[in-house]
Amino acid sequence: MSAARTARDRARQELTIEIKDEARRQLATDGAHNLSLRAVARSLGMASSALYRYFPSRDDLLTALIIDAYNALGDAAEQADQGATPLERWRGVCHAVRRWAIDHRHEYALIYGTPIPGYQAPRDTVGPAVRVVWLLGQIAHAAGVEDSAIPDELRAQFDPIEAAVPTGATVRVVFAWTQLFGMVSFELFGQLVGSADPADAFFGYAVDEVAGFVGLT
Amino acid sequence: MSAARTARDRARQELTIEIKDEARRQLATDGAHNLSLRAVARSLGMASSALYRYFPSRDDLLTALIIDAYNALGDAAEQADQGATPLERWRGVCHAVRRWAIDHRHEYALIYGTPIPGYQAPRDTVGPAVRVVWLLGQIAHAAGVEDSAIPDELRAQFDPIEAAVPTGATVRVVFAWTQLFGMVSFELFGQLVGSADPADAFFGYAVDEVAGFVGLT
DNA sequence: TCTCTGTCAAGAGCGCTGCTCTCTAACTTG
DNA sequence: CAAGTTAGAGAGCAGCGCTCTTGACAGAGA
């Protein structure tokens, strides 16, 4: 059902996108904390109450933006998944994640910063949310790497995941995933100021070290 | 000047602490986002306007809480710095960081989550903020480890830091630092749900791997 | 001892927020 | 065309951070 049937449906679809676009614009300048439904409505020239026909609450609008952000990051990562060797693919994805985060810092903060209090991530977000780590897993899988020296308890915990989405080195991929986003978050949130900031060299080094740890060459 | 001179000074000092305590209590239940000066004042049985005599703005109160949180985490880390070998000390500190973060999730989110928009970390926060990584550096230094295979450009960037605070393996320590907090943040912010959560086994594994990477035995 | 000064808490109020409810006008469907 | 649905506007509620003014009080100097 891609084509809207009635004019009303089409208008609704377009306005929904317009609202998200304007909200994203405000997000980029003011941050999620200062995102105001009234300000969005004002920019769109409509009454604030009218927005509630499209998003039942501020949190629902934020959720929509969260899903979009996960998908935008996932798209960027997938597009960067190029290269002759698994190592090149891995590097491409990791650097694309950082690039996207720097270019969309408030959207990044929205999905990898403090979760909104009292807010439970709806089911819709988990699919888009795992795209990056899933991609890293695919690259590891293609490289034919294998987890080694994993404690029994941990191996048992990861067995079902490895069975569902075989990567060969799920534990190490998850490790790499936490390191990657830890590094990006620290850079964006200002923790590296005074040490590894600007972080280009440090990031490149860390990505290569972790890739080696996963077993890529 | 630990003893307050006049009764007025003493009352002021005590009230300042009471305000922070009550704010911390609300932080623990509602999160930083929902911390309200009016609610704090209400709980303390005073007018909201009176709070402004102690903290000129909501951000200033948050800044005070941030500094306290950094120091509480630093204290917890230092207290856990025990063990016969550098590896044991390292493990103790890393696990203490995680423990503290889990026990004070909202305070952790306050300092390692999304920075408050339009808010610049005042100078006062940088000292407390580096206590954990400084401690990790000290342990590495005591172990006599050395950075190896560091690209020239990166080494040059870290040279001044290494000169000021010698650790022997500053680059790898910073790497470990980003990995540690990336892992803790992912666990607390719900990113590991469905894979490494509960994260006890994964955390222990990752800490030991990184300790090995730094060169500790 | 009395007065004067600086400090303090309180109250009212401004402009903003998310959100709800009601009402009207327009559109869609049978 | 009539009935039913939906979109948008407006008023209003309770809450927020913050400011300004007002009246009470403690401590210092005459």
Side-chain angles (χ1 to χ4, degrees), chain A residues 9-44:
Chain A
D9 279 356
R10 212 173 320 126
R12 181 177 185 84
Q13 217 167 31
E14 279 178 20
L15 236 183
T16 305
I17 293 175
E18 267 184 65
I19 293 170
K20 286 202 289 184
D21 283 347
E22 178 57 34
R24 224 185 319 271
R25 226 168 289 138
Q26 298 203 6
L27 192 68
T29 59
D30 306 331
H33 178 80
N34 295 329
L35 177 64
S36 142
L37 283 185
R38 293 178 109 112
V40 170
R42 222 176 294 130
S43 281
L44 262 47

Side-chain angles (χ1 to χ4, degrees), chain A residues 90 93-94 130-148 150 154 158 161-162 165-181 210-216, chain B residues 179 186 192 195-196 202 205-206:
Chain A
W90 182 278
V93 169
C94 290
V130 298
R131 283 178 63 183
V132 170
V133 67
W134 184 86
L135 191 57
L136 293 177
Q138 293 308 301
I139 297 172
H141 190 51
V145 299
E146 275 187 26
D147 265 339
S148 64
I150 307 293
L154 188 57
F158 273 74
I161 305 161
E162 176 68 31
V165 187
T167 74
T170 308
V171 175
R172 294 191 175 216
V173 166
V174 170
F175 173 95
W177 182 48
T178 65
Q179 201 281 327
L180 170 63
F181 282 90
V210 172
F213 174 67
V214 174
L216 305 180
Chain B
Q179 201 281 327
F186 261 29
L192 296 186
S195 60
F202 179 71
Y205 163 80

Side-chain angles (χ1 to χ4, degrees), chain A residues 191-215:
Chain A
Q191 300 280 355
L192 296 185
V193 173
S195 59
D197 190 81
D200 302 73
F202 179 72
F203 187 86
Y205 163 79
V207 165
D208 284 5
E209 284 291 340
V210 172
F213 174 67
V214 174

Side-chain angles (χ1 to χ4, degrees), chain B residues 122-152:
Chain B
R123 290 258 168 265
D124 321 349
T125 65
V126 311
V130 299
R131 283 177 62 182
V132 170
V133 67
W134 184 86
L135 191 57
L136 293 177
Q138 293 309 301
I139 298 173
H141 190 51
V145 299
E146 275 187 28
D147 265 340
S148 64
I150 307 293
D152 289 344

Side-chain angles (χ1 to χ4, degrees), chain A residues 29-30 33-34 105-106 188-191, chain B residues 57-68 70 110-111 113-126:
Chain A
T29 59
D30 306 331
H33 178 80
N34 295 329
R105 42 193 320 134
H106 284 110
L188 256 69
F189 297 166
Q191 300 280 355
Chain B
S57 76
R58 182 177 179 276
D59 273 4
D60 288 273
L61 175 54
L62 278 177
T63 300
L65 294 179
I66 285 173
I67 294 173
D68 286 0
Y70 274 128
L110 188 62
I111 53 184
T114 315
I116 296 155
Y119 163 88
Q120 294 271 59
R123 290 258 168 265
D124 321 349
T125 65
V126 311

Side-chain angles (χ1 to χ4, degrees), chain B residues 11-97:
Chain B
R12 182 177 185 83
Q13 215 168 32
E14 279 178 20
L15 237 182
T16 305
I17 293 175
E18 267 185 64
I19 292 170
K20 285 202 289 184
D21 284 346
E22 177 58 34
R24 224 186 317 272
R25 226 168 289 137
Q26 297 203 6
L27 192 69
T29 59
D30 306 330
H33 178 80
N34 294 330
L35 178 64
S36 141
L37 283 186
R38 292 178 110 112
V40 171
R42 219 176 296 129
S43 282
L44 261 46
M46 61 196 294
S48 65
S49 53
L51 276 193
Y52 288 84
R53 298 238 172 239
Y54 296 86
F55 298 94
S57 76
R58 182 177 179 276
D59 273 4
D60 288 273
L61 175 54
L62 278 177
T63 300
L65 294 179
I66 285 173
I67 294 173
D68 286 0
Y70 274 128
N71 278 322
L73 175 59
D75 289 346
E78 278 172 20
Q79 274 195 345
D81 179 16
Q82 293 173 356
T85 67
L87 178 58
E88 284 173 21
R89 292 175 60 195
W90 182 279
R91 276 197 192 122
V93 169
C94 291
H95 282 85
V97 166

